[in-house]
Amino acid sequence: MRTAMLRSLLRSSSAARWFSSSSSPERKVAVLGAAGGIGQPLSLLMKLNPLVSSLSLYDLAGTPGVAADTSHVNTRSQVIGYAGEDQLGKALEGCDLVIIPAGVPRKPGMTRDDLFNINAGIVKSLCTAISKYCPHAIVNMISNPVNSTVPIAAEVFKKAGTYNEKKLFGVTTLDVVRAKTFYAGKANANVAEVNVPVVGGHAGITILPLFSQATPQPNLSHDVIKALTKRTQDGGTEVVEAKAGKGSATLSMAYAGALFADACLKGLNGVPDVVECTFVQSSVVTELPFFASKVRLGKNGVEEVLGLGNLSDFEKEGLEALKPELKSSIEKGIKFANQS
């Protein structure tokens, strides 16, 4: 009964795009921070992905148990858990894709500076190891603040001589997931058929959903679009407050992270027309060296960074408003990487 129910679930919704029985190349994926609130459900979701042949789970502690538990799931990939800094190299060797949800989650009252002060050092350390043990891997950065941690990673890779701007991604998929969900509710649309591009960054007002480009396109009022934009920008805070200090958006983030990782693997395997919104090195907005927009993924990571398209007046205002904050966050990451 339970098995039939799970199979039915996996055949439905957007999850169905993962679970094909076709043969795929060998792909090793590492999750760094696999014992955490995002890492555990993300590890499970990656175990369910048939494109993964080897799943490497790393954290400072707790990963042997997570790996043992996850390894019992009857899917393709072999799972190994690694714990402690001395095992990080083994976890990374031979990886095609590295996903980084490591670090502390946001708690009520915690500022972005608080988050930065803890997670920046963690990201720098992990990226230093990536540059040594799997310099050609695609890197999916989940650790917040993404607007700063992606520039940190870029600087670390530059210093090591391994930087490839086509293979470093800030995962902003949760913003897209939220925008789709909230929009579908207001538009009375089938959420599986909804598409909403989200550009900019991955925090507060730097998150800019382009509801004018959403499909399907019902005539929602300006006030509704404004409220949807605000809710998408504040989605993380909504969850933090609902969990009353006992967690952040771990489950939805794991889901979004797994969706984006799946897209990267499909791109690596040569699947055509894989397009996702993600935070990458970009010239879409000339004064911002990193920016989230639609990106075509392929065998080399980024195949093409797509333009913003036509924006409404409201979205143009939002774009101008986000630039100073996003620029500051990017510069903060670059400065941290180069001074420490």
Side-chain angles (χ1 to χ4, degrees):
M1 177 74 175
R2 288 181 179 177
T3 302
M5 186 181 297
L6 180 59
R7 284 174 179 163
S8 175
L9 175 65
L10 297 183
R11 282 195 297 266
S12 66
S13 78
S14 59
R17 64 181 185 169
W18 294 358
F19 297 88
S20 70
S21 57
S22 59
S23 60
S24 302
E26 299 284 306
R27 295 296 184 195
K28 181 178 178 180
V29 176
V31 179
L32 307 186
I38 297 171
Q40 290 197 43
L42 176 58
S43 297
L44 174 60
L45 291 170
M46 296 314 297
K47 180 70 171 85
L48 294 176
N49 191 318
L51 302 181
V52 181
S53 58
S54 176
L55 185 59
S56 179
L57 305 183
Y58 171 81
D59 215 319
L60 291 177
T63 25
V66 176
D69 195 358
T70 309
S71 70
H72 292 181
V73 175
N74 59 324
T75 55
R76 176 191 184 195
S77 55
Q78 300 297 308
V79 184
I80 302 178
Y82 300 90
E85 293 180 8
D86 59 326
Q87 293 192 12
L88 179 54
K90 289 182 180 179
L92 291 171
E93 285 175 350
C95 279
D96 298 288
L97 171 64
V98 180
I99 313 170
I100 310 179
V104 299
R106 193 155 63 98
K107 299 177 181 178
M110 182 178 274
T111 67
R112 293 191 195 106
D113 283 342
D114 295 332
L115 206 59
F116 178 91
N117 290 337
I118 300 170
N119 289 352
I122 295 171
V123 165
K124 185 177 181 182
S125 176
L126 294 175
C127 288
T128 299
I130 290 169
S131 69
K132 181 177 180 181
Y133 294 104
C134 55
H136 303 298
I138 284 177
V139 177
N140 287 180
M141 184 67 68
I142 292 175
S143 302
N144 274 316
V146 165
N147 293 350
S148 297
T149 55
V150 169
I152 289 172
E155 292 302 308
V156 170
F157 296 151
K158 286 176 185 177
K159 283 184 178 180
T162 63
Y163 182 52
N164 182 345
E165 70 275 11
K166 296 180 181 294
K167 293 194 172 185
L168 175 60
F169 299 90
V171 180
T172 60
T173 313
L174 182 52
D175 301 325
V176 177
V177 166
R178 286 172 174 152
K180 288 180 178 181
T181 301
F182 304 156
Y183 179 86
K186 288 294 184 182
N188 195 27
N190 180 349
V191 71
E193 297 174 357
V194 167
N195 192 25
V196 183
V198 181
V199 304
H202 186 56
I205 67 164
T206 70
I207 300 167
L208 183 61
L210 303 182
F211 289 114
S212 70
Q213 299 178 21
T215 54
Q217 185 61 248
N219 292 320
L220 297 179
S221 71
H222 174 73
D223 287 344
V224 170
I225 294 297
K226 188 175 179 181
L228 284 173
T229 299
K230 178 68 171 169
R231 190 179 179 200
T232 303
Q233 292 172 337
D234 293 343
T237 301
E238 183 178 316
V239 176
V240 168
E241 291 177 350
K243 290 189 175 182
K246 295 183 180 179
S248 60
T250 51
L251 301 176
S252 53
M253 184 64 250
Y255 168 75
L259 285 181
F260 187 72
D262 178 68
C264 288
L265 291 169
K266 283 189 166 81
L268 278 176
N269 291 349
V271 175
D273 298 320
V274 179
V275 177
E276 297 288 339
C277 292
T278 176
F279 189 69
V280 295
Q281 181 174 312
S282 170
S283 58
V284 166
V285 178
T286 54
E287 62 265 47
L288 297 170
F290 294 90
F291 196 80
S293 64
K294 287 183 180 179
V295 172
R296 191 181 311 281
L297 304 173
K299 292 183 178 181
N300 298 308
V302 174
E303 292 293 334
E304 183 183 8
V305 178
L306 304 177
L308 298 180
N310 295 324
L311 305 183
S312 69
D313 288 343
F314 176 68
E315 290 160 358
K316 289 177 182 176
E317 292 172 6
L319 179 60
E320 292 306 312
L322 71 80
K323 288 179 181 178
E325 183 168 325
L326 182 51
K327 184 178 182 182
S328 175
S329 296
I330 292 169
E331 290 174 347
K332 185 173 185 177
I334 293 172
K335 181 179 178 182
F336 173 85
N338 289 321
Q339 74 180 7
S340 55

